C-alpha cells in the first residue's frame, strides 16, 4: 500500500495488496502432542498440526493464505515468517504486528510469495520457550521455472529437543544415522535449516559440494568446496547445499567428526556401508569470499541516510523481577534500548560490535542485510543475509534499503538472549502502533 511520507499509517493497515484470491491455502493448528524421536526418546512437544516441522511448499508468485488456529497453547501463539520480508501486519510479532492468538482463536496470514528459496516459520510469543518445544516449520518457495533440476531434495531441519532421555539433537524426528540410496550421477539438494539457539557445524564428506544459497538468496557462481570443508550455520540461518552423487558413499552430519551421538545421513549407491568414518575438517566455509559479490542499492553507496551502532554486551542484573545474566545492546536491555528510526527510502548502515562472551546471531525482521565489512575491512564478496552470526570480538558493517514500512523487531536469535534483553526495534517514522505488548495484553514477544 502506498502512503504519502507525510501521512501516518497504523501497523494494522500495512497488509500489502491482498485483494487477489489465494493460490494456496494452509491450516496450522497449534497443539500439544507427545512426539517420539527415531531413538525412542519422547518429547512433550508443542506443534503445528501435531507434526515436527510441517512443510509449506509454494511457488514463487503465489498468493499464500495460512490460517493459524490455537487449540490448546495457553499462553497464545503466532507465526513469524523468518527471513521472509512480508508486509508488516503479517510478520507475526505479538504486541507489535498483531495480538497473540489465544486458545480457541485464529488468525489468517496472507501474503504474496515474492522471494524464492528456503525459509522457516515459528511462533514469536515467548519464542525462547515455544520454539524450543517445537512450534516451527519450513516454508519452501520453489521458482516458477528452475534452470537446474535436482533428482533428490531433502529439507534438513536441525533442532535440539528436550526429551525424557535428556537433550537430543535431531534432523526433524531423526536423531540417529539415516541411510538414503542415490544412484551415481544424480544431483542432490539439501536445504539445511538451524532452528536451535546456537550455531551448528556441519560436515559433508566423500564429494565436492557447493553452497547454492544463503538465507534463501542464491549465490552467483558458487565454486566447488572440498569435502574437507566444514560449514557453520548460526541460529535461524539456512544454506542450500548441492552435490552430484559419486560412485561411492557420501556422509553428512551435524557436529564434530568424532561425535557419534549427533544425527547424520549416509548417501550410498549399492549396499549401505556399516559405519561412516568422518575426518576432521581442514577448512571452514567463509561466505565473505565465495561466489560473485552482491551488487545492489547499498553496496555502491558512498554515504548513508542513517548510521547506527549496536555494541553487544553482557552484565548481571534484574529483568522482569528476576536476577539474570543480561544481554545488552549499547549497555541497555529491552525496552531501555533506543529504537532505530528511519524514513522510507533511506539507505541504512548498522555496525555490530560484539564485546560479549559469546556469539550473537542478529536477525532483522522485514529486510535482508547486505554484509559490507568485517573487522574494519571490506569483504571480498558482499552477501545477503537475514541472520548474521557475530562472534566474540568481531565487528560487521551491514546495510539495507528501508523499503518495507512498519515496526520491526531487530534481535539476537539466540532466543534466550532475546528473552533477557537483546532486542530493539526498527521503526519507520510515519508508522504508528496498533497493539500493546506486555503482561496486561498477554502479548509477550521475545
Amino acid at each position: 500500500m502506498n502512503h504519502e511520507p507525510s501521512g501516518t499509517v497504523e501497523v494494522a493497515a500495512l497488509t500489502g495488496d491482498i485483494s487477489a484470491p489465494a493460490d494456496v491455502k494452509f491450516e496450522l493448528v497449534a497443539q500439544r502432542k507427545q512426539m517420539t524421536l527415531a531413538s525412542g526418546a519422547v518429547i512433550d512437544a508443542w506443534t503445528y498440526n501435531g507434526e515436527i516441522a510441517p512443510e509449506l511448499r509454494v511457488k514463487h508468485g503465489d498468493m499464500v493464505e495460512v490460517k493459524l488456529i490455537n487449540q490448546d497453547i495457553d499462553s497464545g501463539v503466532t507465526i513469524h515468517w523468518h527471513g521472509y520480508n512480508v508486509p508488516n501486519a503479517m510478520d507475526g510479532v505479538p504486541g507489535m504486528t498483531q495480538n497473540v492468538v489465544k486458545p480457541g482463536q485464529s488468525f489468517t496470514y496472507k501474503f504474496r510469495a515474492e522471494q524464492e528459496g528456503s525459509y522457516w516459520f515459528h511462533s514469536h510469543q515467548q519464542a525462547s520457550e515455544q520454539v524450543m518445544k517445537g512450534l516451527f516449520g519450513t516454508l519452501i518457495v520453489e521458482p516458477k521455472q528452475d534452470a537446474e533440476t535436482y533428482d533428490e531434495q531433502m529439507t534438513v531441519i536441525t533442532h535440539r529437543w528436550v526429551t525424557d532421555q535428556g537433550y537430543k539433537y535431531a534432523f526433524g524426528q531423526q536423531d540417529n544415522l539415516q541411510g538414503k540410496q542415490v544412484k551415481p550421477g544424480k544431483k542432490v539438494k539439501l536445504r539445511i535449516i538451524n532452528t536451535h539457539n546456537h550455531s551448528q557445524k556441519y560436515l559433508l564428506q566423500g564429494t565436492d559440494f557447493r553452497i547454492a544459497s544463503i538465507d534463501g538468496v542464491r549465490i552467483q557462481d558458487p565454486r566447488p568446496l572440498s569435502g574437507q570443508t566444514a560449514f557453520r550455520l548460526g541460529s535461524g540461518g539456512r544454506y542450500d547445499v548441492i552435490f552430484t552423487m559419486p560412485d561411492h558413499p557420501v556422509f553428512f552430519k551435524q557436529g564434530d567428526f568424532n561425535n557419534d551421538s549427533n544425527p547424520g545421513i549416509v548417501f550410498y549407491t549399492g549396499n549401505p556401508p556399516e559405519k561412516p568414518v568422518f575426518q576432521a575438517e581442514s577448512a571452514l566455509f567463509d561466505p565473505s569470499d565465495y561466489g560473485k559479490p552482491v551488487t545492489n542499492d547499498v553496496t555502491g553507496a558512498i554515504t548513508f541516510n542513517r548510521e547506527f551502532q549496536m555494541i553487544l554486551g553482557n552484565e548481571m542484573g534484574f529483568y522482569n523481577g528476576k536476577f539474570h545474566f543480561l544481554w545488552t545492546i549499547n549497555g541497555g536491555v529491552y525496552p531501555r534500548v533506543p529504537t532505530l528510526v528511519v524514513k522510507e527510502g533511506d539507505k541504512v548502515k548498522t555496525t555490530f560490535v560484539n564485546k560479549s562472551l559469546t556469539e550473537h546471531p542478529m536477525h532483522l525482521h522485514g529486510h535482508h542485510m547486505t554484509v559490507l565489512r568485517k573487522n574494519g575491512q571490506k569483504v571480498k564478496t558482499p552477501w545477503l543475509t537475514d541472520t548474521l552470526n557475530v562472534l566474540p570480538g568481531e565487528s560487521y558493517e551491514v546495510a539495507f534499503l528501508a523499503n518495507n514500512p512498519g515496526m520491526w523487531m531487530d534481535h539476537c536469535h539466540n532466543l534466550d538472549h532475546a528473552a533477557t534483553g537483546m532486542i530493539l526495534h526498527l521503526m519507520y517514522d510515519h508508522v504508528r502502533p496498533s497493539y500493546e505488548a506486555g503482561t496486561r495484553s498477554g502479548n509477550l514477544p521475545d
Side-chain angles (χ1 to χ4, degrees), residues 317-343:
F318 283 93
Y319 199 72
N320 286 340
K322 292 181 183 171
F323 198 64
H324 279 288
F325 201 81
L326 303 180
W327 300 98
T328 61
I329 300 174
N330 298 343
V333 290
Y334 177 77
R336 294 183 297 280
V337 179
T339 296
L340 310 182
V341 180
V342 300
K343 282 184 160 56

PDB file of all heavy atoms in Angstrom, residues 317-343:
ATOM      1  N   GLY A 317      22.130  -8.603  36.259  1.00  0.00           N
ATOM      2  CA  GLY A 317      21.141  -7.622  36.694  1.00  0.00           C
ATOM      3  C   GLY A 317      19.761  -8.229  36.774  1.00  0.00           C
ATOM      4  O   GLY A 317      19.559  -9.408  36.483  1.00  0.00           O
ATOM      5  N   PHE A 318      18.802  -7.385  37.156  1.00  0.00           N
ATOM      6  CA  PHE A 318      17.409  -7.833  37.268  1.00  0.00           C
ATOM      7  C   PHE A 318      16.684  -7.629  35.944  1.00  0.00           C
ATOM      8  O   PHE A 318      16.879  -6.630  35.253  1.00  0.00           O
ATOM      9  CB  PHE A 318      16.699  -7.058  38.382  1.00  0.00           C
ATOM     10  CG  PHE A 318      17.056  -7.547  39.756  1.00  0.00           C
ATOM     11  CD1 PHE A 318      18.094  -6.971  40.474  1.00  0.00           C
ATOM     12  CD2 PHE A 318      16.371  -8.616  40.322  1.00  0.00           C
ATOM     13  CE1 PHE A 318      18.438  -7.442  41.738  1.00  0.00           C
ATOM     14  CE2 PHE A 318      16.704  -9.095  41.583  1.00  0.00           C
ATOM     15  CZ  PHE A 318      17.739  -8.504  42.292  1.00  0.00           C
ATOM     16  N   TYR A 319      15.832  -8.587  35.597  1.00  0.00           N
ATOM     17  CA  TYR A 319      14.991  -8.473  34.399  1.00  0.00           C
ATOM     18  C   TYR A 319      13.673  -9.163  34.701  1.00  0.00           C
ATOM     19  O   TYR A 319      13.660 -10.323  35.132  1.00  0.00           O
ATOM     20  CB  TYR A 319      15.681  -9.129  33.192  1.00  0.00           C
ATOM     21  CG  TYR A 319      15.122  -8.668  31.865  1.00  0.00           C
ATOM     22  CD1 TYR A 319      15.389  -7.382  31.389  1.00  0.00           C
ATOM     23  CD2 TYR A 319      14.324  -9.502  31.092  1.00  0.00           C
ATOM     24  CE1 TYR A 319      14.884  -6.956  30.170  1.00  0.00           C
ATOM     25  CE2 TYR A 319      13.818  -9.081  29.872  1.00  0.00           C
ATOM     26  CZ  TYR A 319      14.099  -7.803  29.414  1.00  0.00           C
ATOM     27  OH  TYR A 319      13.590  -7.369  28.212  1.00  0.00           O
ATOM     28  N   ASN A 320      12.577  -8.452  34.490  1.00  0.00           N
ATOM     29  CA  ASN A 320      11.240  -8.973  34.832  1.00  0.00           C
ATOM     30  C   ASN A 320      11.200  -9.502  36.266  1.00  0.00           C
ATOM     31  O   ASN A 320      10.608 -10.551  36.547  1.00  0.00           O
ATOM     32  CB  ASN A 320      10.807 -10.071  33.852  1.00  0.00           C
ATOM     33  CG  ASN A 320      10.414  -9.502  32.504  1.00  0.00           C
ATOM     34  OD1 ASN A 320      10.100  -8.306  32.402  1.00  0.00           O
ATOM     35  ND2 ASN A 320      10.431 -10.316  31.474  1.00  0.00           N
ATOM     36  N   GLY A 321      11.885  -8.774  37.168  1.00  0.00           N
ATOM     37  CA  GLY A 321      11.824  -9.108  38.594  1.00  0.00           C
ATOM     38  C   GLY A 321      12.715 -10.241  39.046  1.00  0.00           C
ATOM     39  O   GLY A 321      12.664 -10.643  40.201  1.00  0.00           O
ATOM     40  N   LYS A 322      13.532 -10.781  38.109  1.00  0.00           N
ATOM     41  CA  LYS A 322      14.434 -11.884  38.484  1.00  0.00           C
ATOM     42  C   LYS A 322      15.874 -11.496  38.174  1.00  0.00           C
ATOM     43  O   LYS A 322      16.128 -10.745  37.227  1.00  0.00           O
ATOM     44  CB  LYS A 322      14.067 -13.157  37.716  1.00  0.00           C
ATOM     45  CG  LYS A 322      12.721 -13.748  38.113  1.00  0.00           C
ATOM     46  CD  LYS A 322      12.449 -15.005  37.315  1.00  0.00           C
ATOM     47  CE  LYS A 322      11.070 -15.569  37.641  1.00  0.00           C
ATOM     48  NZ  LYS A 322      10.691 -16.660  36.751  1.00  0.00           N
ATOM     49  N   PHE A 323      16.807 -12.043  38.961  1.00  0.00           N
ATOM     50  CA  PHE A 323      18.224 -11.782  38.742  1.00  0.00           C
ATOM     51  C   PHE A 323      18.718 -12.691  37.619  1.00  0.00           C
ATOM     52  O   PHE A 323      18.526 -13.902  37.661  1.00  0.00           O
ATOM     53  CB  PHE A 323      19.012 -12.043  40.037  1.00  0.00           C
ATOM     54  CG  PHE A 323      20.373 -11.402  40.036  1.00  0.00           C
ATOM     55  CD1 PHE A 323      20.505 -10.016  39.998  1.00  0.00           C
ATOM     56  CD2 PHE A 323      21.527 -12.172  40.070  1.00  0.00           C
ATOM     57  CE1 PHE A 323      21.761  -9.415  39.998  1.00  0.00           C
ATOM     58  CE2 PHE A 323      22.784 -11.591  40.077  1.00  0.00           C
ATOM     59  CZ  PHE A 323      22.898 -10.198  40.038  1.00  0.00           C
ATOM     60  N   HIS A 324      19.319 -12.092  36.578  1.00  0.00           N
ATOM     61  CA  HIS A 324      19.688 -12.820  35.365  1.00  0.00           C
ATOM     62  C   HIS A 324      21.077 -12.426  34.911  1.00  0.00           C
ATOM     63  O   HIS A 324      21.589 -11.366  35.268  1.00  0.00           O
ATOM     64  CB  HIS A 324      18.746 -12.438  34.197  1.00  0.00           C
ATOM     65  CG  HIS A 324      17.434 -13.117  34.180  1.00  0.00           C
ATOM     66  ND1 HIS A 324      17.272 -14.438  33.867  1.00  0.00           N
ATOM     67  CD2 HIS A 324      16.192 -12.644  34.408  1.00  0.00           C
ATOM     68  CE1 HIS A 324      15.977 -14.748  33.900  1.00  0.00           C
ATOM     69  NE2 HIS A 324      15.314 -13.677  34.235  1.00  0.00           N
ATOM     70  N   PHE A 325      21.613 -13.267  34.022  1.00  0.00           N
ATOM     71  CA  PHE A 325      22.706 -12.850  33.148  1.00  0.00           C
ATOM     72  C   PHE A 325      22.029 -12.085  32.019  1.00  0.00           C
ATOM     73  O   PHE A 325      21.234 -12.660  31.280  1.00  0.00           O
ATOM     74  CB  PHE A 325      23.426 -14.095  32.622  1.00  0.00           C
ATOM     75  CG  PHE A 325      24.815 -13.836  32.153  1.00  0.00           C
ATOM     76  CD1 PHE A 325      25.861 -13.754  33.058  1.00  0.00           C
ATOM     77  CD2 PHE A 325      25.100 -13.664  30.804  1.00  0.00           C
ATOM     78  CE1 PHE A 325      27.162 -13.520  32.639  1.00  0.00           C
ATOM     79  CE2 PHE A 325      26.397 -13.431  30.376  1.00  0.00           C
ATOM     80  CZ  PHE A 325      27.426 -13.360  31.300  1.00  0.00           C
ATOM     81  N   LEU A 326      22.282 -10.792  31.891  1.00  0.00           N
ATOM     82  CA  LEU A 326      21.599  -9.953  30.900  1.00  0.00           C
ATOM     83  C   LEU A 326      22.448  -9.811  29.642  1.00  0.00           C
ATOM     84  O   LEU A 326      23.674  -9.748  29.707  1.00  0.00           O
ATOM     85  CB  LEU A 326      21.318  -8.567  31.477  1.00  0.00           C
ATOM     86  CG  LEU A 326      20.500  -8.497  32.770  1.00  0.00           C
ATOM     87  CD1 LEU A 326      20.317  -7.049  33.206  1.00  0.00           C
ATOM     88  CD2 LEU A 326      19.150  -9.179  32.588  1.00  0.00           C
ATOM     89  N   TRP A 327      21.768  -9.727  28.512  1.00  0.00           N
ATOM     90  CA  TRP A 327      22.424  -9.500  27.222  1.00  0.00           C
ATOM     91  C   TRP A 327      22.023  -8.115  26.751  1.00  0.00           C
ATOM     92  O   TRP A 327      20.832  -7.821  26.600  1.00  0.00           O
ATOM     93  CB  TRP A 327      22.025 -10.597  26.236  1.00  0.00           C
ATOM     94  CG  TRP A 327      22.440 -11.936  26.762  1.00  0.00           C
ATOM     95  CD1 TRP A 327      21.660 -12.839  27.425  1.00  0.00           C
ATOM     96  CD2 TRP A 327      23.755 -12.493  26.736  1.00  0.00           C
ATOM     97  NE1 TRP A 327      22.404 -13.927  27.801  1.00  0.00           N
ATOM     98  CE2 TRP A 327      23.699 -13.744  27.393  1.00  0.00           C
ATOM     99  CE3 TRP A 327      24.976 -12.064  26.219  1.00  0.00           C
ATOM    100  CZ2 TRP A 327      24.815 -14.567  27.536  1.00  0.00           C
ATOM    101  CZ3 TRP A 327      26.088 -12.890  26.365  1.00  0.00           C
ATOM    102  CH2 TRP A 327      25.993 -14.121  27.026  1.00  0.00           C
ATOM    103  N   THR A 328      23.003  -7.246  26.521  1.00  0.00           N
ATOM    104  CA  THR A 328      22.743  -5.811  26.340  1.00  0.00           C
ATOM    105  C   THR A 328      23.075  -5.342  24.930  1.00  0.00           C
ATOM    106  O   THR A 328      23.931  -5.909  24.241  1.00  0.00           O
ATOM    107  CB  THR A 328      23.564  -4.983  27.346  1.00  0.00           C
ATOM    108  OG1 THR A 328      24.973  -5.226  27.108  1.00  0.00           O
ATOM    109  CG2 THR A 328      23.236  -5.363  28.784  1.00  0.00           C
ATOM    110  N   ILE A 329      22.386  -4.276  24.534  1.00  0.00           N
ATOM    111  CA  ILE A 329      22.714  -3.529  23.313  1.00  0.00           C
ATOM    112  C   ILE A 329      23.005  -2.099  23.751  1.00  0.00           C
ATOM    113  O   ILE A 329      22.146  -1.447  24.363  1.00  0.00           O
ATOM    114  CB  ILE A 329      21.566  -3.556  22.290  1.00  0.00           C
ATOM    115  CG1 ILE A 329      21.249  -5.001  21.868  1.00  0.00           C
ATOM    116  CG2 ILE A 329      21.926  -2.712  21.068  1.00  0.00           C
ATOM    117  CD1 ILE A 329      20.039  -5.149  20.971  1.00  0.00           C
ATOM    118  N   ASN A 330      24.223  -1.641  23.456  1.00  0.00           N
ATOM    119  CA  ASN A 330      24.665  -0.297  23.869  1.00  0.00           C
ATOM    120  C   ASN A 330      24.446  -0.078  25.363  1.00  0.00           C
ATOM    121  O   ASN A 330      24.053   1.003  25.808  1.00  0.00           O
ATOM    122  CB  ASN A 330      23.959   0.788  23.044  1.00  0.00           C
ATOM    123  CG  ASN A 330      24.293   0.673  21.558  1.00  0.00           C
ATOM    124  OD1 ASN A 330      25.256   0.012  21.179  1.00  0.00           O
ATOM    125  ND2 ASN A 330      23.511   1.313  20.716  1.00  0.00           N
ATOM    126  N   GLY A 331      24.692  -1.139  26.139  1.00  0.00           N
ATOM    127  CA  GLY A 331      24.640  -1.040  27.592  1.00  0.00           C
ATOM    128  C   GLY A 331      23.258  -1.148  28.196  1.00  0.00           C
ATOM    129  O   GLY A 331      23.114  -1.137  29.422  1.00  0.00           O
ATOM    130  N   GLY A 332      22.210  -1.273  27.364  1.00  0.00           N
ATOM    131  CA  GLY A 332      20.839  -1.343  27.875  1.00  0.00           C
ATOM    132  C   GLY A 332      20.172  -2.648  27.493  1.00  0.00           C
ATOM    133  O   GLY A 332      20.641  -3.389  26.629  1.00  0.00           O
ATOM    134  N   VAL A 333      19.059  -2.926  28.180  1.00  0.00           N
ATOM    135  CA  VAL A 333      18.242  -4.091  27.832  1.00  0.00           C
ATOM    136  C   VAL A 333      16.855  -3.602  27.443  1.00  0.00           C
ATOM    137  O   VAL A 333      16.389  -2.571  27.906  1.00  0.00           O
ATOM    138  CB  VAL A 333      18.138  -5.093  29.008  1.00  0.00           C
ATOM    139  CG1 VAL A 333      19.478  -5.774  29.251  1.00  0.00           C
ATOM    140  CG2 VAL A 333      17.655  -4.420  30.279  1.00  0.00           C
ATOM    141  N   TYR A 334      16.196  -4.365  26.551  1.00  0.00           N
ATOM    142  CA  TYR A 334      14.860  -4.008  26.098  1.00  0.00           C
ATOM    143  C   TYR A 334      13.918  -3.904  27.304  1.00  0.00           C
ATOM    144  O   TYR A 334      13.972  -4.750  28.185  1.00  0.00           O
ATOM    145  CB  TYR A 334      14.354  -5.079  25.121  1.00  0.00           C
ATOM    146  CG  TYR A 334      12.954  -4.826  24.656  1.00  0.00           C
ATOM    147  CD1 TYR A 334      12.700  -3.863  23.701  1.00  0.00           C
ATOM    148  CD2 TYR A 334      11.885  -5.526  25.210  1.00  0.00           C
ATOM    149  CE1 TYR A 334      11.405  -3.601  23.292  1.00  0.00           C
ATOM    150  CE2 TYR A 334      10.591  -5.267  24.807  1.00  0.00           C
ATOM    151  CZ  TYR A 334      10.357  -4.305  23.844  1.00  0.00           C
ATOM    152  OH  TYR A 334       9.081  -4.050  23.448  1.00  0.00           O
ATOM    153  N   PRO A 335      13.055  -2.880  27.418  1.00  0.00           N
ATOM    154  CA  PRO A 335      12.797  -1.839  26.418  1.00  0.00           C
ATOM    155  C   PRO A 335      13.664  -0.588  26.561  1.00  0.00           C
ATOM    156  O   PRO A 335      13.394   0.396  25.864  1.00  0.00           O
ATOM    157  CB  PRO A 335      11.328  -1.505  26.684  1.00  0.00           C
ATOM    158  CG  PRO A 335      11.170  -1.700  28.161  1.00  0.00           C
ATOM    159  CD  PRO A 335      12.094  -2.821  28.537  1.00  0.00           C
ATOM    160  N   ARG A 336      14.697  -0.632  27.396  1.00  0.00           N
ATOM    161  CA  ARG A 336      15.535   0.562  27.560  1.00  0.00           C
ATOM    162  C   ARG A 336      16.678   0.557  26.541  1.00  0.00           C
ATOM    163  O   ARG A 336      17.859   0.703  26.881  1.00  0.00           O
ATOM    164  CB  ARG A 336      16.058   0.650  28.992  1.00  0.00           C
ATOM    165  CG  ARG A 336      14.948   0.882  30.023  1.00  0.00           C
ATOM    166  CD  ARG A 336      15.477   1.053  31.433  1.00  0.00           C
ATOM    167  NE  ARG A 336      16.153  -0.120  31.937  1.00  0.00           N
ATOM    168  CZ  ARG A 336      15.531  -1.185  32.431  1.00  0.00           C
ATOM    169  NH1 ARG A 336      14.206  -1.221  32.475  1.00  0.00           N
ATOM    170  NH2 ARG A 336      16.220  -2.220  32.888  1.00  0.00           N
ATOM    171  N   VAL A 337      16.309   0.342  25.287  1.00  0.00           N
ATOM    172  CA  VAL A 337      17.263   0.382  24.180  1.00  0.00           C
ATOM    173  C   VAL A 337      16.667   1.315  23.135  1.00  0.00           C
ATOM    174  O   VAL A 337      15.492   1.169  22.799  1.00  0.00           O
ATOM    175  CB  VAL A 337      17.465  -1.033  23.577  1.00  0.00           C
ATOM    176  CG1 VAL A 337      18.437  -0.984  22.412  1.00  0.00           C
ATOM    177  CG2 VAL A 337      17.971  -2.003  24.636  1.00  0.00           C
ATOM    178  N   PRO A 338      17.431   2.274  22.630  1.00  0.00           N
ATOM    179  CA  PRO A 338      16.845   3.227  21.675  1.00  0.00           C
ATOM    180  C   PRO A 338      16.315   2.518  20.424  1.00  0.00           C
ATOM    181  O   PRO A 338      16.925   1.577  19.920  1.00  0.00           O
ATOM    182  CB  PRO A 338      18.018   4.146  21.315  1.00  0.00           C
ATOM    183  CG  PRO A 338      19.015   3.963  22.402  1.00  0.00           C
ATOM    184  CD  PRO A 338      18.835   2.584  22.926  1.00  0.00           C
ATOM    185  N   THR A 339      15.156   2.980  19.945  1.00  0.00           N
ATOM    186  CA  THR A 339      14.585   2.488  18.693  1.00  0.00           C
ATOM    187  C   THR A 339      15.336   3.107  17.523  1.00  0.00           C
ATOM    188  O   THR A 339      15.676   4.293  17.563  1.00  0.00           O
ATOM    189  CB  THR A 339      13.095   2.854  18.633  1.00  0.00           C
ATOM    190  OG1 THR A 339      12.418   2.160  19.690  1.00  0.00           O
ATOM    191  CG2 THR A 339      12.470   2.458  17.313  1.00  0.00           C
ATOM    192  N   LEU A 340      15.603   2.321  16.498  1.00  0.00           N
ATOM    193  CA  LEU A 340      16.219   2.842  15.275  1.00  0.00           C
ATOM    194  C   LEU A 340      15.103   3.408  14.402  1.00  0.00           C
ATOM    195  O   LEU A 340      14.202   2.673  13.999  1.00  0.00           O
ATOM    196  CB  LEU A 340      16.957   1.729  14.526  1.00  0.00           C
ATOM    197  CG  LEU A 340      17.934   0.868  15.345  1.00  0.00           C
ATOM    198  CD1 LEU A 340      18.622  -0.146  14.438  1.00  0.00           C
ATOM    199  CD2 LEU A 340      18.956   1.724  16.065  1.00  0.00           C
ATOM    200  N   VAL A 341      15.144   4.709  14.138  1.00  0.00           N
ATOM    201  CA  VAL A 341      14.079   5.360  13.367  1.00  0.00           C
ATOM    202  C   VAL A 341      14.605   5.693  11.977  1.00  0.00           C
ATOM    203  O   VAL A 341      15.682   6.297  11.830  1.00  0.00           O
ATOM    204  CB  VAL A 341      13.575   6.637  14.071  1.00  0.00           C
ATOM    205  CG1 VAL A 341      12.460   7.293  13.256  1.00  0.00           C
ATOM    206  CG2 VAL A 341      13.064   6.310  15.474  1.00  0.00           C
ATOM    207  N   VAL A 342      13.840   5.286  10.950  1.00  0.00           N
ATOM    208  CA  VAL A 342      14.237   5.542   9.560  1.00  0.00           C
ATOM    209  C   VAL A 342      13.057   6.108   8.786  1.00  0.00           C
ATOM    210  O   VAL A 342      11.904   6.022   9.224  1.00  0.00           O
ATOM    211  CB  VAL A 342      14.739   4.252   8.869  1.00  0.00           C
ATOM    212  CG1 VAL A 342      15.950   3.680   9.593  1.00  0.00           C
ATOM    213  CG2 VAL A 342      13.628   3.201   8.768  1.00  0.00           C
ATOM    214  N   LYS A 343      13.373   6.684   7.632  1.00  0.00           N
ATOM    215  CA  LYS A 343      12.352   7.111   6.667  1.00  0.00           C
ATOM    216  C   LYS A 343      12.340   6.108   5.511  1.00  0.00           C
ATOM    217  O   LYS A 343      13.385   5.533   5.174  1.00  0.00           O
ATOM    218  CB  LYS A 343      12.700   8.494   6.108  1.00  0.00           C
ATOM    219  CG  LYS A 343      12.402   9.669   7.017  1.00  0.00           C
ATOM    220  CD  LYS A 343      12.705  10.974   6.262  1.00  0.00           C
ATOM    221  CE  LYS A 343      11.999  12.171   6.862  1.00  0.00           C
ATOM    222  NZ  LYS A 343      12.293  12.380   8.276  1.00  0.00           N
TER     223      LYS A 343
END
